[in-house]
Amino acid sequence: MVSLKLQKRLAASVMKCGKRKIWLDPNEINEISMANSRQAIRKLVKDGYVIRKPEALHSRARQRRRLIAKRKGRHSGYGKRQGSRNARMPEKILWIRRMRVLRRLLRRYREGKKIDKHLYHELYMKVKGNVFKNKRVLMEHIFKAKAEKLREKAEKEQGEMRRQKNRLMRERRTNRLEERRKALSGADKKADKPTKEAKTEKKADKDTKEAKPAKQAKGAKEAKTAKPAKEAKSAKEAKPAKEAKPAKEAKPAKEAKPAKVAKEAKPAKEAKAAASPAPAKEAKAAKPAKEAKPAKEAKAAGSPAPSKEAKPAKEAKPAKAAAPAAKAAKQAKAAGSPKPTKN
C-alpha cells in the first residue's frame, strides 16, 4: 500500500487544519499519491478527492438538564458548596438590590401622588434604617399609614363639627336665656306700671283727703251762723250713718273707748256753760259746729268715694259724742237747771 503521509501534511497546510481533520478518498489513492506539491493538493481539494472533516460537536443536553434542576434548588446541598456564604453571595450586593427596589417603589408612589413628600421622606429614612424586609412589607406599611391619616383627618373633621354644634347650642341657649330675661324684665315693668298708677291714685287720694279738712273748716264757719234747728237736723241725719258704719268695722271694742272719753269730757264743758248764762248761747252755737263736721263726713261717706280712703271708725266717733251732748242741752233747757245729766 502506498503511503500518503506527504499528501496529508500538505493538505493540512493548505486547508489550515490538523492532519486528523483531512479525509482522503480511498478510491482515488493512485491519483492522490501522484500529487507531490501544494498546487496539486489544491486541485484535489477542488475535485473533491481531499475533504476537510467537520468539527465534532460537544453535546450540552446533559448540562441543560442539570441547570434546570439547580434552578429548582437541586444539587445545592452542603456537599456541593464551595466557599463561604458571603463569598458565594455578598451581603453588600443583596443590600444594594433591596435598597434599589424599595427606593424605586417610593419614587413611583411619590410621582403618582399616592404619597406626599412628607410621608416619602419618612419612609425613605426608614428604608435606609433597614425597617422593611422587602417590597411587600413596605406596601403594607404605606396602606396602613394612608388609612391612619384618613382616619385622623375624619376624626378631626368630626371633632370640629361637634365643637361647632356645641357652640351653636350654647349660643341658642344663651339667646333663649336672654329672651326669657327680657320677657321677665318686660313683665316686671308691666307689673311696675300699675304700681306707679296706684301711687298716682294714692297721691290723688291724699290730695282729696287734704282738701276735705279745708271743706270741713268752711262748713264749720257756716255752721256757726246757721240756726240750731238745722244743726239738730244734721245731727239726726248723722245718726243713721253712725249706725251703718259700725257694721263694717271689725273691732267694736276700740270704738267704745273714745266714746266714753268724749262723754266724760263734754258734760264738764256743758256745766261751765250753764254756770255762765251769757256765754251759753255761744256754747250752743259752737256745739253745732262740731256736730256739722260729722254730718258732712257722713255725706262724704254716702258719696261714691273709695272705702279705703274713707275711715268710718274715726269719723263716726264725733257723731256719737255729739248725740249725748245734744240730748243734755235739751234736758238743760227743759229743766232750767245749770248741771246737765249724764247718760
Side-chain angles (χ1 to χ4, degrees):
M1 183 177 176
V2 180
S3 177
L4 300 175
K5 278 186 174 181
L6 177 62
Q7 288 77 17
K8 191 173 278 190
R9 182 180 64 79
L10 293 174
S13 176
V14 170
M15 298 179 75
K16 296 180 180 179
C17 62
K19 292 178 184 179
R20 65 181 190 147
K21 292 289 183 183
I22 300 300
W23 178 82
L24 300 174
D25 191 357
N27 297 325
E28 301 295 334
I29 291 174
N30 293 326
E31 189 175 354
I32 293 170
S33 63
M34 294 298 290
N36 55 4
S37 65
R38 295 174 187 276
Q39 188 175 359
I41 296 297
R42 289 189 186 99
K43 185 179 179 183
L44 293 172
V45 170
K46 187 177 180 182
D47 293 338
Y49 298 150
V50 177
I51 299 172
R52 180 181 178 179
K53 290 180 182 180
E55 292 181 358
L57 296 177
H58 180 71
S59 178
R60 286 192 56 81
R62 291 179 298 276
Q63 184 65 21
R64 289 191 189 103
R65 284 199 305 270
R66 187 177 179 82
L67 289 173
I68 290 169
K70 287 189 79 171
R71 287 192 192 101
K72 291 179 181 179
R74 278 62 167 169
H75 313 291
S76 60
Y78 289 111
K80 293 291 183 179
R81 295 178 190 175
Q82 294 286 330
S84 65
R85 178 184 295 176
N86 194 30
R88 288 164 63 84
M89 179 53 67
E91 295 175 355
K92 184 176 180 180
I93 292 173
L94 294 174
W95 171 263
I96 291 168
R97 288 178 181 175
R98 189 171 57 169
M99 289 298 105
R100 286 176 180 174
V101 170
L102 298 178
R103 288 174 181 178
R104 190 184 303 120
L105 178 66
L106 289 176
R107 191 161 53 251
R108 286 176 182 174
Y109 274 24
R110 184 183 63 179
E111 290 172 357
K113 295 185 178 179
K114 292 182 179 180
I115 58 174
D116 57 358
K117 60 181 182 179
H118 304 289
L119 186 59
Y120 170 82
H121 181 70
E122 181 183 352
L123 296 177
Y124 188 94
M125 300 305 292
K126 285 185 176 181
V127 166
K128 184 179 180 181
N130 196 22
V131 175
F132 306 110
K133 184 168 69 172
N134 50 36
K135 190 165 77 171
R136 179 181 58 80
V137 177
L138 176 59
M139 291 174 70
E140 289 178 358
H141 186 274
I142 290 170
F143 297 151
K144 288 180 181 179
K146 289 174 71 176
E148 184 69 18
K149 191 173 182 181
L150 291 173
R151 188 178 62 80
E152 289 178 358
K153 187 177 180 181
E155 287 180 357
K156 189 176 181 180
E157 290 177 356
Q158 288 177 359
E160 187 64 27
M161 291 284 287
R162 197 180 299 111
R163 285 191 291 275
Q164 188 175 1
K165 185 179 179 181
N166 293 334
R167 195 182 304 114
L168 293 173
M169 288 177 68
R170 285 195 298 273
E171 289 177 359
R172 286 198 295 271
R173 191 181 297 112
T174 53
N175 292 333
R176 284 198 300 272
L177 291 172
E178 288 179 0
E179 288 176 0
R180 287 178 185 175
R181 287 171 187 168
K182 288 180 181 179
L184 291 171
S185 63
D188 294 337
K189 288 180 180 178
K190 288 179 181 179
D192 293 339
K193 284 181 181 179
T195 55
K196 290 180 180 179
E197 292 174 358
K199 288 180 180 179
T200 53
E201 289 178 359
K202 286 180 180 178
K203 289 181 180 179
D205 295 339
K206 287 179 181 179
D207 296 337
T208 54
K209 286 179 182 179
E210 291 174 358
K212 281 180 181 179
K215 290 180 180 179
Q216 290 174 1
K218 290 179 182 179
K221 290 180 182 179
E222 292 174 357
K224 287 179 182 180
T225 57
K227 295 178 180 180
K230 289 182 180 179
E231 293 170 1
K233 288 180 182 179
S234 63
K236 289 178 181 179
E237 289 174 1
K239 285 178 183 178
K242 293 172 190 174
E243 294 172 359
K245 287 172 183 176
K248 294 180 182 179
E249 293 173 359
K251 296 177 181 180
K254 291 182 180 179
E255 295 171 359
K257 289 178 182 179
K260 290 178 181 179
V261 175
K263 286 175 183 180
E264 293 172 358
K266 287 181 179 179
K269 290 181 181 179
E270 290 172 0
K272 290 179 182 179
S276 59
K281 292 180 181 180
E282 294 176 3
K284 289 177 184 178
K287 285 176 184 176
K290 292 179 181 178
E291 294 170 0
K293 290 180 182 179
K296 286 186 178 181
E297 289 174 0
K299 287 179 183 180
S303 64
S307 60
K308 291 182 181 179
E309 296 171 2
K311 295 181 181 180
K314 293 180 181 179
E315 293 172 358
K317 287 172 186 178
K320 286 181 180 180
K327 287 180 181 180
K330 286 180 181 180
Q331 289 174 3
K333 286 180 181 180
S337 63
K339 294 181 180 179
T341 59
K342 291 183 181 178
N343 292 331

